[in-house]
Amino acid sequence: MSSTLVLLRHGQSQWNLENRFTGWVDVPLTGQGEAEAREAGRLLAAEGLRFDAAHTSMLSRAIHTLWLALGEMDQPWVPVTRHWRLNERHYGALTGLDKAETAERHGEDQVHVWRRSYDIPPPPIEPERDDDPCRDPRYDFLDDRVLPATESLKLTLERVLPYWHDALAPALKQGRTLLVAAHGNSLRALVKYLDDVPDDEITQLNIPTGVPLRYRLDDRLRVVESGYLGDADKAAAAAAAVANQAGGGTA
């Protein structure tokens, strides 16, 4: 029995546009981000994909991307699960800072370590800040001790994997077709796991906004085929744009 999994990074957000570290802060899509989400829906519709279920994070830029894509596919009825484990990587004390200014203040080498090392997180967010997840009512049902104050990609993977094992993998083993609309780093974590990407290589992977990445999996959830939908050159250019942001990275 085969299954299909589509990973979709949210469209451009306001803080993507402003080149700021976003993480768990809830910011809206830009007009371009909304257009990217609709284009993703058109690409998925052109492939004839019919989803059994969809999954997204607790952050509105991913939720709205999913809504717009499903609307474009005329599949607004698809059951949707929102879960905090699919949230973006938490950038700790860097949250909200302009990436270029942060590089000027701390040095490009230090910021590169925080952004692109696999297992070195930025300094933790100060607990008195209003954007500390422990102060966000949407996470009131969680023990504060599971909420991150900062994360590396390694820690993000450790947060995301339980959702893969508990929610996504069982459905895929039943031959379901799933859509996951999430974030650059939570999706990077899934790609690392699915493709068994080495630690020193996954940090160089850039996932473009609004371009669906389709996986075909066998009955043991091994990758049979994967690739971005639509124009390959356009997807590559979008990924390069992510990599070339000043101080760069995902948000």
Side-chain angles (χ1 to χ4, degrees), residues 2 12 15 22 29 70 90 94 98 109 165 173 193 226:
S2 63
Q12 183 194 65
W15 280 15
T22 311
L29 295 174
L70 289 176
H90 196 292
L94 302 184
D98 177 276
D109 290 344
H165 293 302
K173 283 194 171 183
Y193 183 76
S226 67

Side-chain angles (χ1 to χ4, degrees), residues 10 21-25 57 59 61 84-92 94-95 110-123 133 148-157 159-160 182-189 203 247-251:
H10 65 79
F21 291 101
T22 311
W24 283 40
V25 176
S57 73
L59 300 170
R61 58 192 185 274
W84 66 276
R85 288 192 179 275
L86 294 175
N87 279 12
E88 176 58 296
R89 170 190 173 188
H90 196 292
Y91 281 102
L94 302 184
T95 300
Q110 179 61 71
V111 174
H112 183 78
V113 168
W114 287 332
R115 281 192 52 247
R116 289 302 194 181
S117 64
Y118 178 64
D119 57 1
I120 301 175
T150 185
E151 288 179 312
S152 61
L153 180 55
K154 180 177 184 291
L155 291 172
T156 305
L157 175 63
R159 165 166 56 84
V160 171
H183 306 266
N185 281 296
S186 53
L187 296 181
R188 183 186 278 143
T203 57
T250 58

Side-chain angles (χ1 to χ4, degrees), residues 13-33:
S13 74
Q14 185 60 39
W15 280 15
N16 288 145
L17 179 62
E18 296 174 13
N19 208 24
R20 298 167 70 182
F21 291 101
T22 311
W24 283 40
V25 176
D26 211 2
V27 297
L29 295 174
T30 62
Q32 177 180 322

Side-chain angles (χ1 to χ4, degrees), residues 50-111:
R50 305 290 292 180
F51 291 103
D52 297 301
H55 300 258
T56 189
S57 73
M58 300 282 283
L59 300 170
S60 62
R61 58 192 185 274
I63 295 169
H64 290 161
T65 293
L66 180 61
W67 288 349
L68 291 167
L70 289 176
E72 201 67 32
M73 298 178 69
D74 195 25
Q75 295 183 44
W77 44 266
V78 171
V80 175
T81 301
R82 301 172 184 83
H83 205 282
W84 66 276
R85 288 192 179 275
L86 294 175
N87 279 12
E88 176 58 296
R89 170 190 173 188
H90 196 292
Y91 281 102
L94 302 184
T95 300
L97 298 181
D98 177 276
K99 295 174 184 176
E101 290 178 357
T102 305
E104 290 177 3
R105 183 182 308 170
H106 296 283
E108 291 185 4
D109 290 344
Q110 179 61 71
V111 174

Side-chain angles (χ1 to χ4, degrees), residues 154-226:
K154 180 177 184 291
L155 291 172
T156 305
L157 175 63
E158 292 172 0
R159 165 166 56 84
V160 171
L161 274 184
Y163 195 75
W164 166 263
H165 293 302
D166 295 343
L168 302 179
L172 291 166
K173 283 194 171 183
Q174 294 175 2
R176 304 287 178 85
T177 298
L178 303 182
L179 173 59
V180 177
H183 306 266
N185 281 296
S186 53
L187 296 181
R188 183 186 278 143
L190 288 174
V191 169
K192 174 176 170 51
Y193 183 76
L194 288 167
D195 292 332
D196 196 22
V197 182
D199 296 353
D200 60 348
E201 294 181 15
I202 191 60
T203 57
Q204 303 307 312
L205 174 71
N206 294 289
I207 298 178
T209 56
V211 184
L213 174 57
R214 177 173 59 189
Y215 280 87
R216 290 193 175 98
L217 307 171
D218 67 15
D219 58 355
R220 297 183 65 185
L221 303 187
R222 294 174 298 195
V223 177
V224 175
E225 180 185 11
S226 67

